Amino acid sequence: DLLTSVLYFIQNDLEKRRVMEQLEKLSYEDTLTGLYNRNRYNEVRKAYKKKAPDKLGIIYMDLNGLKQANDTYGHDYGDKLIRKTAKILAKVVGKDAYRIGGDEFVIAFTAEEVEERADKIVTSIRNTMKRYNERRERPYPMQVSIGAYCNRVKGHSLDHFLKKADDLMYADKYLHRKDNGII
């Protein structure tokens, strides 16, 4: 019957669309954290090459001591730290945050006053993590190293900004290790 065939076609078409939407979401969303993933970040890089903003801010961060937390308390605990970090980032910056690998996160943003926005973001992240660690006894505290690089674009690539922020993040990591007597 024609009506049954049409209904089957419509249902099949709707199911295909739903599956395609799910696949697209999976291609851009990190399954552990719900943040955008490296694929989405790479799409932003492509768009940036076509039309760069006047000013740009990049914040690069990673968790301190994740390997030790995984080795001591198990990978489930390490995943919990990564998920909690992602929740904090989503709360602070919304969809501007990306998990680009393991315990590495990037926040990319534009604003007229990028330096002030970067300071507010970094302060908010650090304060939220401090409160998180103080509220409950944790077997392993959540700590991050953060590097923020902001500037006028002046023909620089997004990779240039990421490299500068990464260098600053490693300097911050070095200071954390030195402060904790690891170096």
Side-chain angles (χ1 to χ4, degrees):
D1 141 353
L2 181 62
L3 182 58
T4 304
S5 295
V6 169
L7 289 175
Y8 175 77
F9 176 77
I10 291 171
Q11 182 181 9
N12 194 26
D13 189 52
L14 290 173
E15 182 63 22
K16 283 181 188 176
R17 286 183 192 182
R18 190 185 66 73
V19 168
M20 292 302 290
E21 287 171 3
Q22 275 298 106
L23 288 173
E24 183 175 345
K25 182 179 176 185
L26 287 172
S27 72
Y28 288 126
E29 187 177 284
D30 178 62
T31 56
L32 180 64
T33 65
L35 294 178
Y36 284 136
N37 63 17
R38 182 181 287 277
N39 291 338
R40 179 67 177 163
Y41 179 76
N42 288 334
E43 290 297 317
V44 169
R45 285 174 62 211
K46 288 178 190 173
Y48 174 89
K49 286 180 183 178
K50 291 179 183 173
K51 183 171 178 0
D54 184 44
K55 290 183 176 180
L56 181 66
I58 294 283
I59 297 173
Y60 195 102
M61 61 182 272
D62 78 358
L63 289 168
N64 293 337
L66 183 64
K67 181 183 179 338
Q68 293 85 349
N70 281 336
D71 290 349
T72 306
Y73 303 104
H75 287 273
D76 287 342
Y77 186 76
D79 286 351
K80 181 179 178 182
L81 291 175
I82 291 170
R83 280 192 303 272
K84 184 59 184 175
T85 301
K87 284 182 183 177
I88 290 169
L89 294 180
K91 179 181 174 187
V92 172
V93 297
K95 285 292 192 175
D96 290 333
Y98 305 82
R99 179 177 176 223
I100 60 169
D103 62 343
E104 298 173 337
F105 299 89
V106 170
I107 301 165
F109 56 93
T110 60
E112 186 57 36
E113 304 296 330
V114 288
E115 296 87 357
E116 289 82 1
R117 183 160 184 221
D119 287 343
K120 286 179 183 177
I121 291 169
V122 170
T123 299
S124 183
I125 290 168
R126 291 200 188 280
N127 288 341
T128 304
M129 287 189 173
K130 182 179 178 186
R131 285 190 305 272
Y132 175 78
N133 286 328
E134 290 172 349
R135 273 198 304 259
R136 300 177 194 93
E137 279 297 313
R138 305 250 182 275
Y140 198 89
M142 183 170 43
Q143 298 175 346
V144 293
S145 292
I146 302 174
Y149 182 73
C150 304
N151 207 335
R152 291 197 173 278
V153 173
K154 302 178 202 166
H156 291 295
S157 70
L158 191 59
D159 291 336
H160 168 81
F161 277 76
L162 186 63
K163 173 72 171 111
K164 294 286 191 180
D166 186 39
D167 290 346
L168 292 168
M169 185 271 302
Y170 274 104
D172 189 42
K173 187 173 283 294
Y174 174 81
L175 292 175
H176 280 287
R177 288 180 179 157
K178 188 175 179 185
D179 289 346
N180 292 322
I182 298 172
I183 298 175

